[in-house]
Amino acid sequence: MERGANGCSHRLVGRSPQICEIRRLIEKLGRSQAPVLLLGESGTGKEVVARAIHNANPCGEFVAIDCGALIGPLVESELFGHTRGAFTGAAEAKRGLIDVADGGTAFFDEIGDLPLEMQVKLLRLLQEHEFRPVGALKQHKVNIRVIAATHHDLARDAVRGTFRQDLYYRLNIVSLHLPALRDRKSDIPELVDHFLLQFGAHHRIAPDALAVMMNFDWPGNVRELQNSIERMVALNTGPWLHIADLPSALRNQRAAEPTLASAVAAGSETAPLPLLHAPPRPAGLFLPAVEKETILKALAATRGDRAKAAQLLGIGRTTLYRKLKEYKIED
């Protein structure tokens, strides 16, 4: 999903049940002005979802506010602006980010990092739809849609007193939980294809390298996958990206896995399933063909056991059955 403010297409990539459900909710939320709280681990694409909600019914600007960067004495000025002469150095009046977002969407990224004193002012903004620039005497009315995101457990932080309970309840009108990439591995081939088109359209991923990526848990989620593809493309002239081109974390995991022959020979129900290996395909082969080849290798390695093949591929059985039908694979 993929990239935030630094240059992506801002669309949700994938066909897993989790992503399909999020798309359905985005369409509904686009028709509402209620605050939305996006939850999930870092790198799961919360800004992409926020932009998608805004774009579902585009009105005004989408203004991303990095709460982690709002530190120091000028935080209030950054958010709400200031009048001329409000403080030393304020030679001119300045619009704040909230004023820029008037008529549109203010996206508070990592809302859990917002200083407590600013949380009070944000609560007033949500309740009264008004704010006061630094140095101003009057409140300014504003019409904005607020979307907040965090990887923190805000409910726990509210109990601990590190996040205001009243603000948490006001933000948590509608919440969406974005799944970790390890919980929707069936989307990895499509994500890989998306990032290859973004960073190097003439590159292709070899089946053995894709199999390693399918078997990796991606602690940094989609952002880590995106960065990995960007690095691989930058360091390889192509057209094929192989296991040797993968980041060291993925190669090290592969080295720790049992070999295919030993796992099949052992026939253990509990032994970890091996990674697949396949020779490079001719230039011009696209990901659907690579995906089909990888599925065929998995079925061959598990002697047609679909449950084990799905485990080997890192996908659910329902997804595997859908792929078998899609590629007209009979095993």
Side-chain angles (χ1 to χ4, degrees):
M1 255 184 246
E2 72 175 300
R3 192 179 276 219
N6 14 352
C8 83
S9 59
H10 303 307
R11 69 182 183 90
L12 227 51
V13 176
R15 291 175 287 176
S16 63
Q18 300 98 314
I19 292 302
C20 290
E21 174 64 10
I22 288 173
R23 284 200 190 96
R24 186 185 69 83
L25 292 172
I26 285 172
E27 290 184 15
K28 287 188 173 183
L29 291 172
R31 301 190 292 267
S32 168
Q33 284 293 104
V36 177
L37 182 60
L38 303 177
L39 306 171
E41 297 176 9
S42 295
T44 49
K46 293 186 285 292
E47 183 173 343
V48 174
V49 172
R51 288 183 181 272
I53 293 171
H54 172 78
N55 291 334
N57 185 18
C59 185
E61 291 192 45
F62 179 94
V63 178
I65 301 169
D66 182 0
C67 295
L70 295 175
I71 55 176
L74 297 181
V75 172
E76 188 173 0
S77 173
E78 284 294 312
L79 281 179
F80 303 114
H82 62 254
T83 61
R84 180 180 178 181
F87 49 84
T88 302
E92 300 292 339
K94 174 188 174 182
R95 294 178 71 195
L97 294 172
I98 298 300
D99 194 27
V100 174
D102 189 14
T105 301
F107 171 58
F108 289 83
D109 195 14
E110 292 305 337
I111 189 72
D113 294 333
L114 189 67
L116 281 168
E117 61 272 19
M118 288 299 102
Q119 292 179 25
V120 179
K121 297 180 183 297
L122 177 57
L123 179 62
R124 179 178 179 84
L125 177 70
L126 287 166
Q127 292 177 334
E128 307 297 334
H129 304 287
E130 62 182 22
F131 69 95
R132 186 168 65 87
V134 178
L137 299 177
K138 295 182 179 180
Q139 298 287 339
H140 288 200
K141 284 291 183 180
V142 70
N143 178 28
I144 61 172
R145 167 73 174 275
V146 171
I147 302 176
T150 183
H151 71 279
H152 292 292
D153 184 342
L154 286 189
R156 181 192 62 192
D157 291 347
V159 172
R160 292 178 174 178
T162 56
F163 194 85
R164 291 185 62 94
Q165 284 191 343
D166 46 7
L167 178 58
Y168 168 67
Y169 295 137
R170 191 69 188 86
L171 289 170
N172 195 31
I173 303 299
V174 179
S175 63
L176 289 183
H177 187 274
L178 275 63
L181 184 55
R182 62 181 173 275
D183 296 326
R184 59 178 189 106
K185 287 188 176 181
S186 61
D187 289 332
I188 289 177
E190 191 172 344
L191 284 163
V192 170
D193 196 14
H194 174 74
F195 293 133
L196 284 176
L197 287 174
Q198 183 178 340
F199 298 120
H202 66 288
H203 285 79
R204 299 288 177 265
I205 194 83
D208 54 355
L210 180 60
V212 173
M213 299 176 91
M214 294 288 288
N215 203 56
F216 190 62
D217 276 344
W218 299 103
N221 294 297
V222 178
R223 184 184 296 121
E224 183 182 7
L225 174 62
Q226 172 189 306
N227 293 341
S228 297
I229 295 295
E230 185 174 11
R231 174 186 179 278
M232 292 166 70
V233 168
L235 298 179
N236 189 296
T237 56
W240 284 98
L241 301 174
H242 297 283
I243 287 178
D245 300 307
L246 293 171
S248 58
L250 279 77
R251 296 198 310 273
N252 293 340
Q253 174 192 262
R254 175 180 177 268
E257 293 287 340
T259 64
L260 176 61
S262 63
V264 172
S268 170
E269 294 293 328
T270 58
L273 287 168
L275 296 172
L276 299 178
H277 303 281
R281 311 307 298 172
L285 187 63
F286 290 84
L287 268 179
V290 174
E291 191 175 55
K292 180 178 180 180
E293 175 73 10
T294 305
I295 291 172
L296 289 171
K297 298 292 290 184
L299 290 169
T302 57
R303 296 185 175 90
D305 188 320
R306 293 185 177 187
K308 286 187 177 180
Q311 184 183 350
L312 178 59
L313 292 166
I315 61 178
R317 275 182 281 184
T318 301
T319 300
L320 177 59
Y321 296 152
R322 176 170 57 81
K323 293 291 183 182
L324 293 175
K325 183 177 180 181
E326 178 181 343
Y327 296 130
K328 298 181 174 60
I329 297 174
E330 298 292 339
D331 61 302

